[in-house]
Amino acid sequence: MVGRSPRYWSVALLAGQRPGVDPLARGFRRSTKALIPINGRPMIGWVLDALLQSRYVGRVVIIAQDNAILDDPALAHFASDPRVVVKSGQSGISRNIMALAGQETLPWPMIVTTADHPLLTTQIVDDFLSQATNHDLSVGMVSRKTMLARYPGSQRTWLRFRDDGYTGANLFALNSPV
């Protein structure tokens, strides 16, 4: 492919739910939070667009309890995209990832992110992965100063470090089983 990076990353896109009923999904009459409409389309669609337009991403493996997660007509083009695979996940996030990581379906290197991340952009993905290449593990974080400048009053859990507080960005890059 012209203009694409020679190094492709696999993506584990977590689109399941915790045990019980998600109150936000219930409020929107959806089976899972990933299917809640944002500006007229399921939020997982925004995340898939950001990932699949990245010059670094080769394959996206959606891990969900429901293999029919892409049955929504607004997601039909993702269901027919050969780069997108849906795998059933039942036993918890870490077990699901461990079962698939390094296999043909989800080869190394890989990133893990969530389907309820509709503000994720291709630029964020590309910037993150361009910096994650030489590390066994990279974790996306946002400084408190940056977050509150953009989203004043945002309520987050902050990890405090000498220079600022930081919060997770639901982006993890794993280069190998290490």
Side-chain angles (χ1 to χ4, degrees):
M1 295 180 175
V2 176
R4 298 210 26 135
S5 168
R7 179 159 190 204
Y8 296 113
W9 291 73
S10 301
V11 179
L13 180 58
L14 306 176
Q17 62 186 33
R18 292 183 172 98
V21 177
D22 181 285
L24 193 57
R26 180 179 55 213
F28 280 91
R29 300 175 190 255
R30 299 296 190 269
S31 59
T32 181
K33 194 168 16 172
L35 296 176
I36 292 172
I38 304 290
N39 200 22
R41 65 193 287 227
M43 75 169 83
I44 190 174
W46 297 101
V47 178
L48 284 166
D49 276 342
L51 293 167
L52 292 169
Q53 291 172 23
S54 169
R55 64 180 183 213
Y56 295 103
V57 172
R59 167 175 278 179
V60 177
V61 179
I62 301 169
I63 303 172
Q65 283 97 343
D66 185 356
N67 283 346
I69 193 156
L70 296 180
D71 283 357
D72 185 302
L75 303 172
H77 64 288
F78 295 119
S80 64
D81 189 319
R83 298 171 296 164
V84 178
V85 176
V86 178
K87 289 290 183 180
S88 179
Q90 301 294 331
S91 60
I93 294 170
S94 58
R95 284 194 176 117
N96 287 321
I97 293 170
M98 286 176 56
L100 295 172
Q103 306 299 317
E104 183 178 341
T105 302
L106 193 62
W108 302 107
M110 63 181 274
I111 65 172
V112 178
T113 193
T114 58
D116 62 347
H117 198 334
L119 297 178
L120 185 67
T121 65
T122 301
Q123 181 180 352
I124 291 170
V125 174
D126 285 349
D127 288 349
F128 178 67
L129 292 178
S130 71
Q131 297 177 57
T133 302
N134 297 318
H135 307 284
D136 291 324
L137 171 68
S138 297
V139 179
M141 305 289 282
V142 180
S143 73
R144 183 176 181 174
K145 182 168 59 174
T146 300
M147 176 69 85
L148 294 181
R150 182 80 187 263
Y151 303 102
S154 178
Q155 305 225 350
R156 307 285 300 193
T157 300
W158 301 102
L159 302 172
R160 297 184 193 278
F161 292 93
R162 185 178 303 151
D163 64 335
D164 201 352
Y166 292 84
T167 190
N170 282 347
L171 277 176
F172 307 88
L174 302 104
N175 264 300
S176 70
V178 172

